[in-house]
Structure formats: structure tokens, C-alpha cells
């Protein structure tokens, strides 16, 4: 939904509560805005548009939550449970909307809304790369120690908590983390590759003789490409900024040359030419249709690739750590993740926190793991027997999580990312050489950091 649609939704809610809109018109309008029929009916009930509804006196506080795209149905399921339990008890109702596939598009949507000081969305899912930027712009509400006591926070993974912290204050609650994984077809490859050299050999040995493509990944010009690039770069022991002094640009290095040369070499050989247009989902479609021996993707692809209704490769694949190369000895996943923040312009901050807090509890965190194969932030989930029995990948994530590394951490992250996306993509498309890409990256990143 775009901000205008959220405003239209807000208006429909206000009108039905004031008795100025019939049930039928409310449903027509909300469906036209893009809500599913289930969400429209449950919102109608919460607004008092159904005389049988127990919360139907018009007293419910309605919240709108927009998230990154969720195709597993996990978020909607959790919202439904919240609405039927705590929501009923406390007079709250959450309307959920799954957002666009690209985090870059969600950022644009938020930026437009928040610059206009608009509160048409109350709870915002924000990517782990943005809390500093949102906090510095005063777009989100700080989460206090009283709301979320230190003893409770200590049960969560420290990395995502750090990612939501800016100037010693928490600006979002870490809902789930994310980490790049190497998916491989265990029916075709006896063992997953440990190094990029091995990956090349295995991909070449299987494709195209046994399967259409060797390796699919995210090569389109967008945020996902930055994640794929840093994973190869970090595996070669390269960096973008000096970890001890992030004001220094270190991208123009022999390690980065090895990493980018490696990626460029995949296009049109072990990977299809079209990989330079792939985001997560197109790569997953090729993989799920049984057309790739190896894939780089996030954990969400595990649940969807295990779903017989949509996948041709159920039971035929497994996951492993990202490979390494050069003088590297261990692979590194890029750390991703999504966090729940309260829109600073919303007048319903306390109600938002009620919902966010529910999403941090054991039950919700466990469902994230079981239904969506999202990697939760609550640490106990990784040793929960029920989770391990239902989603065996959780037994393998410990060392992968430990070796995960963030993208550059900076309030100027959007600028840094735009520059990386542009030059890496041009190199992949062979429009510029690897050397030109790295020297341009050095110059442009230095400029961006100095501005
Ligand atoms: C995933 C990650 C997020 C990342 C995005 C890139 O959603 O969780 O951190 O920015 O992918 O496409």
C-alpha cells in the first residue's frame, strides 16, 4: 500500500465508527484499497461494524502494521492470534499489510510518509540497515528500559539489539534476524562446497549436464546485491570500510579485486546471464522449480522450498555456510533482519508497543521459526526441541550465526548502498572493468563519507 491508500483506509475506519459508512461500503472500499477479504471483515468487526462482535462498540484502537514481504502467511497468522486474544482483551486491533518485495521500495514508501509527518501506518517493519537513519531523523519512538526491561532484552541476540541501537538508545525492537545461506541439492551434490573454487567445480560438474544452472543468486541492482557482494568480499577477508576506523574506505584492495572478479566470472557461466536481474524471489523460483544445483538466499526460502504445493524439490536440498576464497578460512553471511518500530507521528504509541511486545514473546517467536523459517531474535528458539524437530535447519545455524557480519554501519548507509549497487552491477554487466569499478567505488564512497 502507498501512503494515499493508508490515508483512505484511515478515513474509512473513521467514517464507519462515526456511523457515516455502511458495512457494505466499508468492505467495498477496503477491498479496493487492497486488503484481503479476511482482513477487511476482521477490521470491520473491530470497528464495530458487526453487531455480533464482542469488541463491537467502536472502542477498539486500530493499528496498521506494514512489513517486508511475507509470502509464508506467518505475520498474518500472528496478527489474527493477537486480535483474537490480547487485542480483544485490551480493545486493540491490528490490520496487517505485507509490503513490497524490495527493501529499497519500502524505504521510499516510508521516507515519503515520514517526511510528510504522516501516521497512516503505526507500526513499521524496518530493515536492520536503517534504525540509525530513522532515529537520526526522529522518525521512530525510542523504546524505554521501563517498557522493555534489561532482563527481558538479555534473552535476545545481541547483534540485532545493537543494530536497533543508536546513541545508546533502542529505536526499534528486533523481530527477526536474517543471514545469507548456501542452499544445495543434496541429491546431486554429496557435500556442499566450502570454498568458492569448490563451488565453481561442483556447479560446472552438474550443470548443464544434470540440471539447467549451477548457481543462482541476487545480481539485480538493489540492496540484495550489496548483501551478496559483501558475503563474497568478507570470505576473501576484504572490507568496504576499515572496521577500526569506519571513516576510511578500504574497498580498492586485492581482496576486493579477487571477490568482484569471481562474481563477474559467474555471469553467463555457472549462473544464467539473467542473474543480473534476479532479486531473492526470481532466484528462489528457478531453484524451487528444480533448475539450479546451488542457490544463495535467506532462511525464508527454506520453508517455501519445502512446501509441496509450490516446490519441485521437497526433501532434496539442504543448507550450508557461505563459502570463502583466497586467504580466507571461513565464510561469512551478511546479517539482515527486520525490526518493529513505532511511527513517531502515530498517536497510538502505547498500543503499538502492546503489539510489538507480543511479537517478541516465546509463542510468536517460535511461530516465526516453525511456519516461516524466519530466524528469530529470541535466543532460546535455537535450542527449542519442537522447533528443531519441525525445521531441522535450525540445528545448523549456530556457527553460521556466529560468523555473520554486518554491512557497513552508518547513518549514511543509503548513500553507501546506492554507490555499491551501481558500480558492482555495472561490473557484473561487463560495462566497466573490475579495476574501474573498485577505483570508482573508492572515489565515490570517500565523497559520500565526507559530505
Ligand atoms: C532481507 C534482509 C535484509 C536485506 C534484504 C536485501 O530482507 O533481511 O536485511 O536488506 O534482504 O534484499
Amino acid at each position: 500500500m502507498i501512503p494515499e491508500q493508508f490515508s483512505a483506509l484511515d478515513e474509512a475506519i473513521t467514517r464507519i465508527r462515526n456511523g457515516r459508512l455502511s458495512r457494505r461500503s466499508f468492505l467495498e472500499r477496503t477491498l479496493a484499497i487492497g486488503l484481503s477479504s479476511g482482513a477487511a471483515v476482521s477490521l470491520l468487526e473491530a470497528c464495530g461494524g458487526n453487531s455480533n462482535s464482542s469488541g463491537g462498540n467502536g472502542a477498539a484502537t486500530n493499528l496498521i502494521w506494514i512489513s517486508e514481504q511475507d509470502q509464508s502467511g506467518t505475520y498474518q497468522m500472528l496478527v489474527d492470534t493477537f486480535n483474537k486474544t490480547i487485542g480483544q482483551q485490551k480493545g486493540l486491533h491490528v490490520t496487517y499489510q505485507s509490503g513490497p518485495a524490495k527493501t529499497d521500495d519500502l524505504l521510499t514508501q516510508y521516507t515519503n510518509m515520514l517526511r510528510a509527518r504522516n501516521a497512516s501506518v503505526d507500526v513499521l517493519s524496518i530493515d536492520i540497515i536503517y534504525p540509525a537513519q530513522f532515529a537520526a531523523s526522529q522518525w521512530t519512538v525510542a523504546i524505554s528500559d521501563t517498557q522493555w526491561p534489561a532482563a527481558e532484552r538479555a534473552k535476545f541476540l545481541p547483534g540485532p539489539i545493537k543494530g536497533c541501537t543508536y546513541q545508546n538508545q533502542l529505536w526499534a525492537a528486533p523481530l527477526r534476524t536474517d543471514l545469507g545461506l548456501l542452499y544445495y541439492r543434496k541429491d546431486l551434490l554429496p557435500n556442499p562446497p566450502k570454498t568458492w573454487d569448490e563451488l565453481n567445480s561442483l556447479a560446472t560438474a552438474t550443470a548443464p549436464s544434470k540440471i539447467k544452472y549451477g548457481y543462482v543468486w541476487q545480481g539485480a541492482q538493489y540492496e540484495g546485491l550489496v548483501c551478496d557482494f559483501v558475503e563474497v568480499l568478507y570470505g576473501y577477508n576484504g572490507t568496504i570500510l576499515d572496521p577500526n576506523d569506519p571513516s576510511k574506505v578500504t574497498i580498492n584492495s586485492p581482496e576486493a579485486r579477487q571477490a568482484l572478479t569471481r562474481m563477474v566470472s559467474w555471469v553467463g557461466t555457472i549462473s544464467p546471464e539473467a542473474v543480473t536481474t534476479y532479486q531473492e524471489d526470481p532466484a528462489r523460483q528457478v531453484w524451487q522449480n528444480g533448475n539450479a544445483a546451488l542457490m544463495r538466499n535467506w532462511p525464508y526460502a527454506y520453508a517455501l522450498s519445502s512446501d509441496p504445493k509450490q516446490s519441485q524439490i521437497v526433501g532434496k536440498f539442504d543448507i550450508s555456510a557461505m563459502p570463502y576464497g583466497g586467504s580466507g578460512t571461513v565464510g561469512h553471511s551478511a546479517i539482515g533482519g527486520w525490526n518493529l518500530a513505532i511511527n513517531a507521528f502515530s498517536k497510538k504509541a502505547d498500543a503499538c508497543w502492546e503489539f510489538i511486545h507480543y511479537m517478541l514473546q516465546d509463542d510468536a517467536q517460535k511461530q516465526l521459526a516453525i511456519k516461516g523459517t524466519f530466524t528469530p531474535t529470541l535466543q532460546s528458539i535455537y535450542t527449542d526441541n519442537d522447533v528443531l524437530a519441525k525445521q531441522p535447519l535450525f540445528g545448523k545455524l549456530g556457527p553460521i550465526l556466529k560468523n555473520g557480519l554486518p554491512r557497513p554501519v552508518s547513518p549514511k548507509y543509503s548513500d553507501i548502498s546506492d554507490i555499491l549497487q551501481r558500480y558492482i552491477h555495472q561490473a557484473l554487466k561487463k560495462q566497466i572493468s573490475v579495476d574501474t569499478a573498485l577505483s570508482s567505488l573508492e572515489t565515490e564512497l570517500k565523497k559520500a563519507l565526507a559530505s
Side-chain angles (χ1 to χ4, degrees), residues 68-69 101-104 126-130 176-179 218 222-228 279-280 296-298 300 334-338 407 413:
E68 76 285 9
Q69 190 180 52
K102 253 168 71 178
T103 181
D104 314 53
I126 56 177
D127 194 328
I128 192 69
I129 46 196
Y130 299 126
R176 68 177 181 98
T177 185
D178 230 351
L179 47 150
Q218 292 76 45
Y222 80 119
E223 184 58 38
L225 175 59
V226 178
C227 300
D228 284 42
Q279 297 173 23
E280 284 83 359
R296 184 268 172 210
N297 218 320
W298 306 100
Y300 87 102
I335 300 176
W338 290 87
R407 284 158 273 175
Y413 182 75

Side-chain angles (χ1 to χ4, degrees), residues 408-429:
V409 178
S410 163
K412 292 188 176 155
Y413 182 75
S414 308
D415 299 332
I416 297 175
S417 172
D418 282 347
I419 296 167
L420 288 165
Q421 293 175 25
R422 187 157 13 108
Y423 291 106
I424 297 164
H425 195 254
Q426 285 176 14
L428 293 180
K429 297 274 290 173

Side-chain angles (χ1 to χ4, degrees), residues 16 21-28 41 44-45 48-51:
I16 190 149
L21 200 64
S22 69
R23 293 188 56 185
R24 188 182 173 152
S25 307
F26 179 86
L27 287 175
E28 278 167 4
V41 169
L44 176 66
E45 284 181 17
N50 179 343
S51 51

